[in-house]
Amino acid sequence: MAELLDMDRLCVRDTRHIILSELTMHVGRGEKVALVGESGCGKTMSIRTLLHMLPDDVSVTSGSLTFDGTDVLSLRSHQLRQELYSRVGFVAQNTSASLHPLLRISTQMTDFYLERHRGVRRSQAVEKAAGILRSLGMRDVERVLSSRPDQLSGGMRQRINIAIALMDDILLLVADEPTSALDAHVRRQIEEVYISLAERSCLAMLLVSHDLGFVRRMADRVYVMYAGKMVEEGLVDEIFSAPVHPYTRSLIALANVKYKNKDEDLAQLGGFVPVVGRESRSCAFASRCRYERADCMADVEYRRLSDTHYVRCWR
Ligand SMILES: Nc1ncnc2c1ncn2[C@@H]1O[C@H](COP(=O)(O)OP(=O)(O)O)[C@@H](O)[C@H]1O
Ligand code: SF4
Ligand SMILES: [Mg+2]
């Protein structure tokens, strides 16, 4: 069966540097997929590419991108709302900035929806918004709908952003670090909202997260990104129980998520992600990798370990 989302060998660059290199990623219908990697690896750019939201000086130079049969790269701006944004919901990284400070929540939840669904009355849209908020575990929904953002807690605002993304009957929910700016207590609550949504809906999800414990509970499959390239992908058990790439292994060791090869002495991950596109060695991880050898200078292919598990490393 065709994938819901299919990114194939995408190259993205600005006027001077390559930002994403031969990026291949797919999400099946109903599948929950996580994208992990340190800051600056290209996760947000990957999502902005999918959502047709690249900065002005950044463009796709090669590769293909289809969503539910639509060639996303060829969409014109007037087609995006109908062809893409009615089927892909998005929760941005800085969600407090994405709510208008002066407008009531009911207006913010229904305005775009009513623009896309001309025959629907506002009262029907508000009823739909209330139902979605209730389904995300929110009480006192009438008060919330008549409030402005500053009258609500961070956790409530976060739920509202998820609810806005769910107003259309979307096929894919994309969330960029949806819990990273929250304090620990609220973060746990919001993680539970995502986990419960993942368990009870056939919605596909693409989640960027630093929190590997959350990823392990949420995801069916995981992509690991480093310096603008995928370095490993696999089913969640393959990534957490048998990670292969030294970068994946270090991330998991740092996150203290236990995995099978406990006897191995994993180095702490020192150094920094090289500026994307400016690492001259073939393996961008070489400067931080304690297994580096002469082979690592040559082109490192993305190798298949099983039908679902791929890695970009010579070892
Ligand atoms: N507006 C931009 N123009 C050009 N390059 C950018 C822009 N924004 C980010 N980048 C570069 O793209 C790379 C990936 O950034 P990003 O996708 O934000 O990483 P992540 O989300 O993984 O932290 C970084 O090297 C960053 O410097
Ligand atoms: S290719 Fe070489 S430098 Fe790169 S991760 Fe593998 S062993 Fe380390
Ligand atoms: Mg980011």
Side-chain angles (χ1 to χ4, degrees):
M1 193 171 72
E3 301 288 353
L4 178 63
L5 170 67
D6 207 342
M7 288 181 160
D8 190 27
R9 300 171 76 87
L10 278 178
C11 292
V12 173
R13 57 174 304 150
D14 65 8
T15 46
R16 289 161 53 204
H17 302 110
I18 294 172
I19 296 173
L20 303 177
S21 177
E22 305 239 324
L23 193 80
T24 294
M25 177 163 64
H26 53 97
V27 179
R29 287 175 197 279
E31 194 180 27
K32 314 320 181 221
V33 170
L35 178 58
V36 304
E38 290 162 288
S39 285
C41 281
K43 305 178 300 296
T44 296
M45 278 293 179
S46 306
I47 284 179
R48 292 180 76 162
T49 306
L50 154 66
L51 296 170
H52 230 288
M53 288 180 181
L54 285 174
D56 285 343
D57 59 343
V58 177
S59 57
V60 178
T61 54
S62 59
S64 65
L65 170 52
T66 52
F67 176 77
D68 195 26
T70 302
D71 175 3
V72 174
L73 299 178
S74 70
L75 290 177
R76 302 294 174 131
S77 48
H78 68 274
Q79 298 171 304
L80 287 173
R81 213 166 249 187
Q82 213 59 42
E83 297 287 329
L84 194 62
Y85 304 147
S86 61
R87 292 185 284 167
V88 182
F90 176 49
V91 182
Q93 192 161 1
N94 183 359
T95 48
S96 32
S98 57
L99 289 175
H100 193 295
L102 300 177
L103 296 177
R104 289 182 199 286
I105 300 302
S106 61
T107 310
Q108 307 204 42
M109 286 194 69
T110 55
D111 268 6
F112 285 126
Y113 179 78
L114 288 168
E115 261 182 50
R116 280 198 285 269
H117 304 270
R118 297 278 177 189
V120 177
R121 288 197 303 275
R122 186 170 287 274
S123 59
Q124 292 172 304
V126 172
E127 197 42 52
K128 177 164 188 164
I132 293 170
L133 289 175
R134 279 188 206 100
S135 77
L136 297 179
M138 199 177 267
R139 296 189 203 111
D140 206 5
V141 164
E142 280 68 29
R143 180 185 67 83
V144 170
L145 283 169
S146 61
S147 303
R148 279 181 271 275
D150 65 353
Q151 297 171 300
L152 303 172
S153 68
M156 281 181 169
R157 289 198 295 266
Q158 197 76 7
R159 280 187 173 82
I160 286 156
N161 280 296
I162 302 170
I164 289 174
L166 297 175
M167 278 297 283
D168 274 290
D169 295 326
I170 56 170
L171 298 171
L172 173 67
L173 178 66
V174 179
D176 192 356
E177 307 208 19
T179 60
S180 64
L182 305 171
D183 66 51
H185 174 66
V186 179
R187 186 169 68 232
R188 273 195 298 278
Q189 287 178 356
I190 299 300
E191 285 180 0
E192 290 310 320
V193 171
Y194 278 96
I195 286 165
S196 134
L197 192 61
E199 283 167 359
R200 70 191 153 79
S201 81
C202 53
L203 191 61
M205 292 187 179
L206 174 58
L207 285 148
V208 170
S209 181
H210 274 119
D211 182 341
L212 295 190
F214 174 50
V215 165
R216 190 174 199 175
R217 289 179 67 198
M218 272 289 308
D220 301 318
R221 257 176 349 101
V222 180
Y223 286 89
V224 184
M225 195 168 197
Y226 190 78
K229 282 184 179 173
M230 289 305 177
V231 295
E232 186 161 3
E233 70 183 75
L235 299 176
V236 74
D237 283 342
E238 289 169 329
I239 295 294
F240 283 95
S241 303
V244 173
H245 197 285
Y247 180 58
T248 314
R249 295 157 64 86
S250 301
L251 283 183
I252 291 176
L254 283 178
N256 262 333
V257 181
K258 291 194 179 70
Y259 72 98
K260 270 191 212 149
N261 309 324
K262 270 186 276 195
D263 49 330
E264 287 208 32
D265 170 27
L266 285 168
Q268 288 280 302
L269 193 52
F272 300 97
V273 181
V275 177
V276 171
R278 271 171 263 183
E279 169 60 59
S280 55
R281 280 171 284 204
S282 172
C283 174
F285 190 60
S287 61
R288 303 168 83 186
C289 181
R290 62 194 185 127
Y291 304 108
E292 189 198 4
R293 56 180 205 201
D295 287 353
C296 306
M297 299 298 283
D299 209 16
V300 187
E301 282 175 15
Y302 206 35
R303 285 191 298 135
R304 177 180 176 279
L305 304 176
S306 74
D307 283 351
T308 46
H309 198 174
Y310 288 77
V311 67
R312 192 185 301 279
C313 174
W314 278 109
R315 279 186 82 226

